[in-house]
């Protein structure tokens, strides 16, 4: 399952979610502002609290909105 760690007001998060939707990728949104556990998970994955963080396996991740890296990580 693809997870997108994001915050409420984030244009790059919105772009990442729209991009994944346009590619037919199902994903779960994890808002780090609304859930402290999600914030901790995000920090453990990326070592930071910058968003968006996109991960498929909780280990490999893309920080920010980088189409080429997202495509490579997800094989799309």
């Amino acid at each position: 399952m693809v997870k997108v760690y994001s915050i409420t007001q984030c244009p790059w998060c919105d772009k990442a979610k729209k991009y994944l939707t346009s590619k037919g990728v199902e994903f779960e949104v994890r808002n780090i502002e609304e859930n402290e556990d999600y914030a901790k998970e995000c920090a453990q994955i990326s070592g930071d609290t910058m968003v968006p963080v996109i991960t498929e396996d909780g280990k490999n991740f893309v920080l920010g909105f980088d189409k080429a890296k997202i495509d490579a990580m997800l094989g799309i």
Side-chain angles (χ1 to χ4, degrees):
M1 168 58 80
V2 174
K3 296 174 185 168
V4 179
Y5 294 86
S6 65
I7 59 175
T8 306
Q9 297 286 330
C10 173
W12 294 109
C13 300
D14 293 341
K15 288 180 185 208
K17 292 182 272 190
K18 286 178 185 174
Y19 180 70
L20 291 171
T21 299
S22 76
K23 293 290 189 175
V25 175
E26 291 185 27
F27 59 92
E28 178 182 333
V29 176
R30 296 200 162 191
N31 189 315
I32 67 170
E33 289 178 319
E34 297 174 356
N35 186 308
E36 190 174 319
D37 290 336
Y38 292 167
K40 289 176 185 175
E41 286 175 20
C42 183
Q44 286 177 341
I45 293 167
S46 69
D48 202 336
T49 55
M50 274 182 62
V51 290
V53 171
I54 302 163
T55 184
E56 183 176 33
D57 58 9
K59 296 177 185 170
N60 298 311
F61 67 92
V62 174
L63 179 60
F65 178 55
D66 185 322
K67 289 180 186 179
K69 287 182 181 179
I70 293 169
D71 291 353
M73 182 180 71
L74 299 179
I76 54 175

